[in-house]
Amino acid sequence: MTSYTKNNIKKLLITVVIIVILNILGNQFFKRFDLTSDNRYTLSETTLNTLKNVKDPLIIDVFLEGEFPAQFKRLQSETRQILEEFKAYNENIIFNFNDPLADAATAEQYTTELMSIGLTPTNINQNVKGKKSLTPIFPWAIANVGQKSVAVPLLVNNFGNKPDQNINQSVQLLEFAFTDAITKLTNTAKKKIAILKGNGEMQDKYLADFLLSTKEYYALGEFNLDSLKNDLPKVLENLKRFDAAIIAKPTEAFSDEEKYILDQYIMNGGKTIWLIDQVNIDLDHLQNEEQMSLATANNLNIDDMFFKYGVRINPRLVQDLLSTPITAKSAEGADFPIDWLYSPILKSEENHPINKNINLVKMEFANQIDTLKNNIKKTVLLKTSPQSRVVGTPVLVGLNQFMQELDESVFNSGNQITGALLEGNFTSAFKNRVKPFSIPKPADDGVPNKMIVIADGDIVNYNYVNKKPLVNGLDQWTQQVYGNKDFMMNCVNYLLDDNGLINIRSKNIELPLLDDQKVADNYTFSQIITVGLPIILLGIFGLVFTFLRKKKYS
């Protein structure tokens, strides 16, 4: 055997040994490298911890399959890539892409079944063989573990956004959407939320969808503050067993004893969401012969508490030119819309994970909030458009008051705050005051805490417009599915989420999508650059290569 052959065999053996060692190390140590500038494929610590909890096969059926425009192709590609990242970290994640319209014979039945479980399609313009047509697509997925399943929305369709912006926001939320679904399917240790009753709070039928959605994350319980009138300290101890309390549109005044229970609950770290109407008016009040009613201030006896915590809900109604119509009946009995400035629709500034990437939020007879100076950090979550104004109470409200031509110049009061997040160490509203009853170790200064105050009790009543249920949550007049549910769920998750799920919503991803207008304006030049230039470069390379080859061997 020659030395040359021996040397080649030696190199081959070394190469084989290196490959074997690398494979062994690759099986022992897992590492993926994300070379994107925005770390698009770097999963958050929260997602990785959630994936660790998947012990059984979790099957994800994605319905975003088929021939789509470029934007939806990008969403499809990003969805596939994020699921591949999930599978890389846990082999129990199994995903499939399905096209509901692939088989013409079963397409109608397939789409009907999907719509029956709430997966509403999105119609897109398609140009097939020179003919334009509207094609429904289903930007949804369903995650399944055993007998449990969760729908996963893949498309953000926010009012006022261009299609490219909605696709970009959709890609930003993919990790959150799938991690959220997996959390619902695998979460076993649930925190507890008290739904307060006893002060004329909102009826359960208007809270039903919100409570069902909340129940996927948390354990819920109805709690009455006057359940043990003869043992008020026991009532406080029972309330402390809950991690959060939701006070939804109370209509009866709180007693000092009830206020003290809530105050001490907050001082000891209990989270609260207040959905408060400081003005007594409702659309039901207008169902009379005159179609009018007098709006008066609500005396809920909680102003001093909010003042101490750092906000004031004023007994004033907000009117906004950016608003939704309400439905009225014509003489023939048909529905027709009436401009209704007491129903503002709020576009989020996306200044916090709670209101990031959500659609318009609809309110009904919202009130104005003032933030007060103290040591509490305040973040405005909801505010009206600049073309707003406030109306003091008492005031007469009638269905026909906006039917005449409006003087838009008077709607110049600027943005009005209607929802705020408060964070910090709250001071007791009963500090330096006589306490309504005695408890062991009363707290005048609280531990670090959070609360959310929204000046509209009807914000949680998002599946109803004009007291009528919406079909699939779609308002027939505005053709919008309002973002109230997403907003409210984000509020609850932010207050109680210790593992950072809500923070995934803050992830920013910028897709380098083409500008259709620029492409149209520079179409010929673009063709030359993308098609002609590579051919020219290839020709130059061929000539140079041939010339050098002839020079070398001739």
Side-chain angles (χ1 to χ4, degrees):
M1 185 179 294
T2 64
S3 60
Y4 177 77
T5 304
K6 290 181 179 179
N7 192 37
N8 283 343
I9 293 174
K10 183 179 178 181
K11 288 181 179 179
L12 178 61
L13 290 174
I14 292 173
T15 303
V16 170
V17 170
I18 291 174
I19 291 174
V20 170
I21 293 173
L22 288 176
N23 274 278
I24 293 172
L25 292 174
N27 288 326
Q28 296 294 322
F29 303 99
F30 176 76
K31 180 64 178 176
R32 292 169 72 87
F33 297 94
D34 185 354
L35 302 181
T36 58
S37 59
D38 51 15
N39 293 323
R40 187 177 312 166
Y41 306 115
T42 301
L43 300 180
S44 68
E45 195 66 31
T46 299
T47 298
L48 296 178
N49 291 333
T50 303
L51 292 175
K52 290 176 184 176
N53 295 328
V54 181
K55 307 301 183 184
D56 301 313
L58 190 151
I59 301 171
I60 301 174
D61 293 308
V62 183
F63 302 105
L64 200 61
E65 184 66 50
E67 293 299 321
F68 307 133
Q71 296 97 328
F72 284 92
K73 276 290 184 184
R74 194 62 180 271
L75 178 60
Q76 178 193 53
S77 172
E78 296 289 340
T79 302
R80 189 183 302 276
Q81 288 172 349
I82 197 72
L83 289 176
E84 286 174 351
E85 287 296 311
F86 279 31
K87 185 175 178 60
Y89 284 94
N90 191 327
E91 292 186 351
N92 285 324
I93 305 294
I94 304 166
F95 63 91
N96 308 293
F97 277 71
N98 305 306
D99 182 4
L101 307 178
D103 187 349
T106 59
E108 185 175 350
Q109 180 183 351
Y110 203 158
T111 55
T112 301
E113 291 176 357
L114 291 177
M115 293 173 67
S116 68
I117 58 176
L119 308 190
T120 53
T122 297
N123 293 321
I124 59 173
N125 289 311
Q126 288 275 62
N127 195 329
V128 181
K129 296 181 180 179
K131 294 183 179 180
K132 290 185 176 181
S133 63
L134 280 177
T135 303
I137 67 169
F138 287 85
W140 292 86
I142 295 180
N144 307 275
V145 171
Q147 299 299 314
K148 296 174 65 177
S149 63
V150 173
V152 185
L154 305 179
L155 178 65
V156 172
N157 193 17
N158 288 345
F159 175 81
N161 283 357
K162 296 179 180 178
D164 288 353
Q165 292 175 309
N166 279 329
I167 293 294
N168 193 70
Q169 290 186 342
S170 300
V171 171
Q172 290 184 27
L173 285 178
L174 283 176
E175 182 183 345
F176 171 80
F178 285 111
T179 305
D180 178 57
I182 295 172
T183 300
K184 292 176 182 177
L185 293 171
T186 59
N187 188 19
T188 54
K190 294 185 176 182
K191 294 185 176 181
K192 294 181 287 186
I193 298 177
I195 310 299
L196 261 60
K197 298 291 183 180
N199 292 86
E201 283 81 3
M202 181 177 287
Q203 296 179 42
D204 286 344
K205 70 175 183 178
Y206 297 124
L207 285 167
D209 190 68
F210 169 66
L211 296 182
L212 286 173
S213 299
T214 308
K215 196 174 181 180
E216 294 180 320
Y217 302 90
Y218 309 104
L220 306 181
E222 188 174 296
F223 192 91
N224 201 315
L225 289 176
D226 61 0
S227 56
L228 296 170
K229 290 186 177 180
N230 297 326
D231 194 353
L232 295 176
K234 183 66 174 178
V235 176
L236 174 58
E237 289 304 312
N238 289 340
L239 184 57
K240 285 181 180 179
R241 297 175 183 173
F242 292 88
D243 300 284
I246 297 175
I247 305 95
K249 197 179 180 179
T251 56
E252 300 173 10
F254 289 81
S255 67
D256 284 348
E257 290 80 7
E258 292 170 333
K259 287 164 55 179
Y260 189 53
I261 291 172
L262 289 170
D263 177 83
Q264 289 301 293
Y265 173 70
I266 292 168
M267 294 305 108
N268 285 276
K271 312 295 191 298
T272 49
I273 298 179
W274 300 83
L275 311 177
I276 302 298
D277 280 351
Q278 284 285 51
V279 178
N280 181 26
I281 185 66
D282 197 279
L283 284 173
D284 286 344
H285 298 171
L286 308 181
Q287 303 298 320
N288 54 50
E289 188 174 343
E290 293 81 16
Q291 295 185 329
M292 301 181 74
S293 182
L294 186 67
T296 57
N298 258 342
N299 179 23
L300 298 176
N301 193 31
I302 51 177
D303 294 350
D304 55 339
M305 289 180 64
F306 288 141
F307 188 88
K308 199 73 173 181
Y309 302 153
V311 293
R312 177 172 53 226
I313 305 178
N314 297 305
R316 302 173 184 173
L317 292 172
V318 175
Q319 294 180 354
D320 193 341
L321 290 181
L322 182 60
S323 56
T324 65
I326 60 172
T327 303
K329 291 282 186 183
S330 66
E332 293 77 21
D335 289 342
F336 69 96
I338 293 178
D339 289 332
W340 193 242
L341 306 192
Y342 288 118
S343 290
I345 48 178
L346 316 180
K347 186 168 176 59
S348 169
E349 286 195 333
E350 302 193 359
N351 59 323
H352 193 275
I354 290 177
N355 58 17
K356 188 176 179 63
N357 290 331
I358 61 170
N359 199 13
L360 298 170
V361 172
K362 177 185 178 296
M363 307 190 95
E364 188 77 52
F365 292 117
N367 309 146
Q368 175 204 38
I369 291 179
D370 288 334
T371 56
L372 310 174
K373 289 185 177 181
N374 62 1
N375 63 327
I376 299 298
K377 177 186 176 183
K378 304 167 190 73
T379 304
V380 175
L381 300 176
L382 296 172
K383 63 181 180 181
T384 62
S385 77
Q387 292 181 296
S388 304
R389 70 170 183 172
V390 292
V391 180
T393 54
V395 63
L396 201 60
V397 176
L399 283 178
N400 60 354
Q401 69 181 94
F402 302 120
M403 298 186 71
Q404 305 297 325
E405 187 174 351
L406 294 173
D407 180 8
E408 296 188 3
S409 64
V410 302
F411 294 88
N412 58 0
S413 300
N415 306 102
Q416 304 299 317
I417 301 172
T418 58
L421 165 69
L422 312 182
E423 298 175 282
N425 296 75
F426 296 101
T427 300
S428 171
F430 290 85
K431 185 175 184 177
N432 301 323
R433 288 171 54 183
V434 176
K435 310 300 190 282
F437 59 90
S438 298
I439 59 172
K441 298 180 180 180
D444 285 341
D445 297 293
V447 300
N449 203 351
K450 311 171 189 174
M451 75 167 62
I452 293 173
V453 180
I454 300 172
D456 177 26
D458 289 303
I459 189 173
V460 74
N461 182 19
Y462 48 80
N463 265 346
Y464 288 79
V465 170
N466 309 335
K467 301 297 181 182
K468 298 178 181 178
L470 299 176
V471 178
N472 293 325
L474 183 69
D475 187 342
Q476 63 171 323
W477 301 122
T478 62
Q479 292 299 302
Q480 292 293 316
V481 176
Y482 298 116
N484 294 42
K485 180 177 180 177
D486 292 335
F487 176 80
M488 289 302 305
M489 290 307 306
N490 290 347
C491 287
V492 179
N493 287 340
Y494 181 76
L495 294 185
L496 292 179
D497 184 19
D498 295 327
N499 62 4
L501 177 63
I502 189 68
N503 292 322
I504 304 177
R505 297 182 67 92
S506 302
K507 188 173 183 177
N508 287 315
I509 296 174
E510 294 296 332
L511 297 182
L513 299 171
L514 294 176
D515 188 319
D516 292 337
Q517 185 60 45
K518 287 185 178 180
V519 171
D521 293 342
N522 302 281
Y523 186 72
T524 303
F525 180 73
S526 300
Q527 277 189 318
I528 293 172
I529 295 297
T530 57
V531 179
L533 185 59
I535 295 174
I536 293 171
L537 292 175
L538 185 61
I540 293 172
F541 174 79
L543 291 173
V544 173
F545 179 78
T546 303
F547 172 77
L548 294 176
R549 183 178 178 82
K550 284 184 177 181
K551 185 177 180 181
K552 182 176 181 179
Y553 296 106
S554 62

